[in-house]
Amino acid sequence: MSRIRHASAALMMALSALWLLPGTHPAAAASGDTDLTIGVVKNHSPDVTLRQMQTLADYLSAGLGDTRVSLRVMDLDEIDAASARHQLDFLLTSPSQYVQLKRRNGLSGALATLVAGEGGKPLSAIGGAIVVRADRNDIRTLADLATRRIAAAAPQSLGGYQAQLWALHDAGLPLPNAGQIEFAGLPQDRVVDLVLRGKADAGFVLGGIVEEMVRNGRLEPDALKFINAQALPDYPYTVSTYLYPQAPFVVLPHVSESLSRRVAALLLSMPAQPDGSGNHYAFTIPADYAGVEEIMRELRLPPFDTLPRFGLHDVWHQYQWEMLAASSAAFVIATLVLMLLLRNREIRYMAQHDALTGLANRALFTDLVASTIAAARRDHGVLALLLIDLDHFKSVNDTLGHAAGDVVLAQFASRLRSAIRESDTAARIGGDEFMVLLRNVHDAADALRVAEKIRAVSKQPVVTERQTVTLSVSIGVALYPEHGSGLEDLSRRADEAMYQMKTAGRDAVALYRPAPPQPPADAASAA
């Protein structure tokens, strides 16, 4: 989990050490003997979920010292009701329910995002699976689901309902009507049971549920088959949909800001915790849930189900006098269609780019890297991934304020664009963290020259309202295919190079170099 450990640990562990010292933070003196309750959505039975997440409550209780943290394992409807009655302080819930609560209750952004472990591999994304009985030869594709009876977990479940709807929508297929869907509720094992008993033709479940049931002996390995299975070599579960961010850890509005900060610091510095089933989980910086909100809007799912569609009737009702006064109805309609197309392009641009810097965001950058690597693999090309971190950027925010920090980030992004070719791609992937994909590099020296150019332009002074700021950057470099075959491998290698260089003093460029192999134990003892 290099991104969790390197990108956030140095900052957050320092903050948590300050916040958690007795008497050094206002909340420590003001909280007294209090209790906090975390609502946790139950994808499994309540006992299993409680056993998996109890270590989180114990860890937070120990870290807060004067506060006892307890868990309430609930389904999505229960979380809705308990949140409305202010019976919960924090939530670990479905991404789509977070979007719904955020819009309805005015929640702030998530404090952190869950990273679950499977076989020692951290998973920061979830997907949905579509399953049928293995003997159903009449259901082989998404199109075969038309008019079928479908069991799903709950309407608020991203991995157990909404992701599968988006897969159908994305394929240009009609969505199931209310008469076709039966919501079995949580835990999601109930959906599998309905499919096995023939009460439903197909089931929508969270990716990983089927594998866990097989692993625990509650399902025969060949009892079910997957529809629209995706080829995701680095993902341990079979899924039928795109991948989306893991569950957010959310603070409710009535919790004080000081207590929220203490909990956030603890989460981001938390060592990986056992989940009671041989795996581990941890937390990382909050993911971008804009993509989840986008599919909820497009599918008109709550809380976006009451918004009217903007169709031709609305155009006529709003612009009837202008249209009547126009000399040509065809010209007016063409103009309105063009406006709608431009608006859709603007919306797509906003969904794929960072609002402050205009650079590609994490989602767009991930897609571009995947397609570029595929082309490089076919053409035997060489790529370079640069991971860039602004040295001591926190001190700019602390001393000059966030407005000045935004000016610095925007200026750096502009200079970063000027230092690379038009064929290369720059992205902002975190607060003060950037990535650059260099296409068609000749060798490591070529990539290092560009990195040094970026380091040079970053040193140009930035003028803010209060004073002039001079920056430096630390850059880690990894090459495809020498250092990895995908974005995850390359970013981890670049992160390791940058982290080693930061330890040595910052303001430098470092190419990833594998650690030398260790001599055999018997050879070492013989020496």
Side-chain angles (χ1 to χ4, degrees), residues 381-458:
V382 177
L383 310 174
L385 184 77
L386 278 55
L387 179 61
I388 306 168
D389 188 78
L390 275 59
D391 296 331
H392 307 297
F393 178 76
K394 178 181 179 298
S395 63
V396 176
N397 280 337
D398 290 346
T399 58
L400 303 181
H402 288 279
D406 288 348
V407 171
V408 171
L409 288 171
Q411 284 290 326
F412 173 74
S414 176
R415 292 167 183 174
L416 175 60
R417 276 193 293 260
S418 70
I420 61 177
R421 302 167 300 183
E422 289 188 6
S423 60
D424 300 326
T425 302
R428 182 186 179 201
I429 60 172
D432 60 347
E433 197 170 60
F434 298 77
M435 276 189 178
V436 174
L437 176 65
L438 302 180
R439 295 173 171 84
N440 300 321
V441 298
H442 294 89
D443 50 28
D446 195 9
L448 292 174
R449 278 193 296 271
V450 177
E452 289 291 356
K453 184 178 179 182
I454 294 171
R455 190 167 74 94
V457 299
S458 72

Side-chain angles (χ1 to χ4, degrees), residues 336-417:
L336 292 175
V337 169
L338 178 61
M339 291 171 60
L340 290 173
L341 290 175
L342 292 175
R343 178 57 179 165
N344 287 339
R345 180 181 298 177
E346 179 183 354
I347 291 172
R348 286 196 298 271
Y349 181 88
M350 293 171 61
Q352 295 177 331
H353 292 80
D354 177 60
L356 175 63
T357 64
L359 298 179
N361 61 18
R362 183 188 294 271
L364 176 59
F365 187 75
T366 300
D367 291 341
L368 290 174
V369 170
S371 60
T372 305
I373 286 178
R377 184 181 300 115
R378 182 182 63 247
D379 300 331
H380 305 289
V382 177
L383 310 174
L385 184 77
L386 278 55
L387 179 61
I388 306 168
D389 188 78
L390 275 59
D391 296 331
H392 307 297
F393 178 76
K394 178 181 179 298
S395 63
V396 176
N397 280 337
D398 290 346
T399 58
L400 303 181
H402 288 279
D406 288 348
V407 171
V408 171
L409 288 171
Q411 284 290 326
F412 173 74
S414 176
R415 292 167 183 174
L416 175 60
R417 276 193 293 260

Side-chain angles (χ1 to χ4, degrees), residues 129-142 144-145 148-151 191-192 194-198 200-205 210 219-228 240:
I130 303 175
V131 296
V132 300
R133 277 189 358 199
D135 58 1
R136 292 298 299 265
N137 294 323
D138 56 327
I139 305 178
R140 299 177 181 273
T141 67
L142 291 177
D144 296 332
L145 296 176
R148 305 289 185 175
R149 298 168 300 161
I150 298 173
V191 175
V192 175
L194 289 176
V195 173
L196 292 176
R197 292 192 292 116
D201 299 310
F204 293 171
V205 294
V210 171
L219 180 68
E220 292 296 325
D222 56 353
L224 298 175
K225 64 180 179 182
F226 293 87
I227 303 300
N228 197 46
S240 309

Side-chain angles (χ1 to χ4, degrees), residues 271-288:
Q273 299 292 315
D275 66 0
S277 62
N279 294 312
H280 293 75
Y281 66 91
F283 289 90
T284 186
I285 55 177
D288 183 1

Side-chain angles (χ1 to χ4, degrees), residues 68-221:
R68 185 176 67 89
V69 179
S70 60
L71 301 178
R72 285 184 63 183
V73 179
M74 316 168 79
D75 63 29
L76 294 167
D77 289 329
E78 291 169 340
I79 286 180
D80 272 341
S83 300
R85 292 194 293 266
H86 305 292
Q87 295 174 342
L88 303 173
D89 303 293
F90 298 93
L91 299 176
L92 184 61
T93 186
S94 162
S96 54
Q97 186 177 50
Y98 161 60
V99 171
Q100 186 172 352
L101 291 173
K102 182 179 179 180
R103 183 173 178 86
R104 189 175 63 206
N105 299 346
L107 300 183
S108 60
L111 296 183
T113 292
L114 180 70
V115 178
E118 175 66 23
K121 180 181 178 64
L123 297 180
S124 57
I126 60 172
I130 303 175
V131 296
V132 300
R133 277 189 358 199
D135 58 1
R136 292 298 299 265
N137 294 323
D138 56 327
I139 305 178
R140 299 177 181 273
T141 67
L142 291 177
D144 296 332
L145 296 176
T147 72
R148 305 289 185 175
R149 298 168 300 161
I150 298 173
Q156 310 99 311
S157 174
L158 175 62
Y161 178 60
Q162 296 173 354
Q164 291 87 341
L165 288 188
W166 183 254
L168 292 169
H169 174 84
D170 195 48
L173 298 172
L175 301 184
N177 59 49
Q180 291 178 251
I181 297 287
E182 177 178 351
F183 291 111
L186 300 176
Q188 300 200 26
D189 305 28
R190 298 176 180 177
V191 175
V192 175
D193 181 62
L194 289 176
V195 173
L196 292 176
R197 292 192 292 116
K199 300 296 184 180
D201 299 310
F204 293 171
V205 294
L206 177 68
I209 293 294
V210 171
E211 289 86 348
E212 181 180 359
M213 293 179 68
V214 171
R215 186 168 56 245
N216 294 337
R218 292 182 286 120
L219 180 68
E220 292 296 325

